[in-house]
Amino acid sequence: MENPCVMTEETKKVAPKLVYLLKRLLDEWMGKKLCRIDQPGFNAAHLPLFMSIGKTGISNNELAAKMNVTKQATSKIVKELEAINMVKSEKSPDDARVVMLHFTPEGEAFYHNLKSQVMDLETQYKKVAGTKNYEIAIEVMLKLVKFHEENNCIEEKS
């Protein structure tokens, strides 16, 4: 079987393929390194939303908008995180209609553990690519994300 990580000169610089490979390899790293750190029930699908809650908390609506997913999808992951005692929901003191999401003490400790692992990976990336190149890559990815957020929903004119 051909190794999917080996690229020919022809396919080496095809952006969607590179993004796919990096995502797949990063998912594998997360599954092995992050999601098995003393927290059964936590999986890679939880990670983006969990890390986006942050230490100050966030509303379900804000979280859905931030992650560019439906409120229903966010609610499903939040319920799973509540079931493993990582997140708690409470009414906002400013608006009783708004439910705020916060880490439980266990969730906050886990958040710091995950953040430390991600920072270690970023340090390794900087060693491989160089700090300046890594920072440029992050800026480029942010611009590409913004491009897609602004343009993917625009209907093309025939």
Side-chain angles (χ1 to χ4, degrees):
M1 185 157 127
E2 185 180 316
N3 183 346
C5 294
V6 175
M7 291 186 269
T8 65
E9 282 303 313
E10 180 182 337
T11 62
K12 199 177 276 187
K13 294 185 179 180
V14 177
K17 181 176 183 172
L18 291 171
V19 170
Y20 166 79
L21 286 173
L22 184 59
K23 182 193 178 314
R24 191 174 59 78
L25 294 167
L26 190 56
D27 285 348
E28 183 180 331
W29 175 83
M30 286 189 298
K32 288 179 181 175
K33 185 85 172 171
L34 290 183
C35 297
R36 301 293 176 242
I37 306 172
D38 300 325
Q39 188 52 53
F42 190 90
N43 64 55
H46 297 142
L47 188 66
L49 273 74
F50 181 76
M51 295 304 285
S52 295
I53 291 170
K55 294 186 290 185
T56 59
I58 193 169
S59 75
N60 192 53
N61 289 348
E62 290 171 322
L63 184 58
K66 187 176 188 178
M67 296 305 302
N68 197 22
V69 296
T70 65
K71 289 182 271 184
Q72 292 81 3
T74 304
S75 294
K76 179 183 182 291
I77 299 282
V78 167
K79 282 182 174 56
E80 292 171 3
L81 290 169
E82 286 176 324
I84 60 171
N85 201 32
M86 292 285 104
V87 173
K88 62 183 176 187
S89 301
E90 33 187 62
K91 292 201 184 269
S92 168
D94 303 327
D95 185 345
R97 298 170 296 173
V98 176
V99 174
M100 296 297 293
L101 308 171
H102 296 279
F103 293 134
T104 62
E106 295 86 353
E108 187 163 350
F110 191 60
Y111 170 84
H112 289 296
N113 193 344
L114 290 175
K115 189 169 181 173
S116 173
Q117 295 295 323
V118 170
M119 290 173 67
D120 288 347
L121 180 63
E122 288 180 349
T123 298
Q124 292 175 33
Y125 282 170
K126 289 174 185 177
K127 286 179 183 173
V128 169
T131 300
K132 185 176 180 180
N133 286 338
Y134 178 76
E135 290 170 0
I136 290 168
I138 294 296
E139 289 301 316
V140 169
M141 286 188 284
L142 288 169
K143 288 178 182 179
L144 295 176
V145 166
K146 183 176 181 183
F147 169 82
H148 282 285
E149 286 175 341
E150 292 173 351
N151 294 291
N152 281 1
C153 295
I154 297 173
E155 291 184 33
E156 291 186 30
K157 308 254 187 217
S158 338

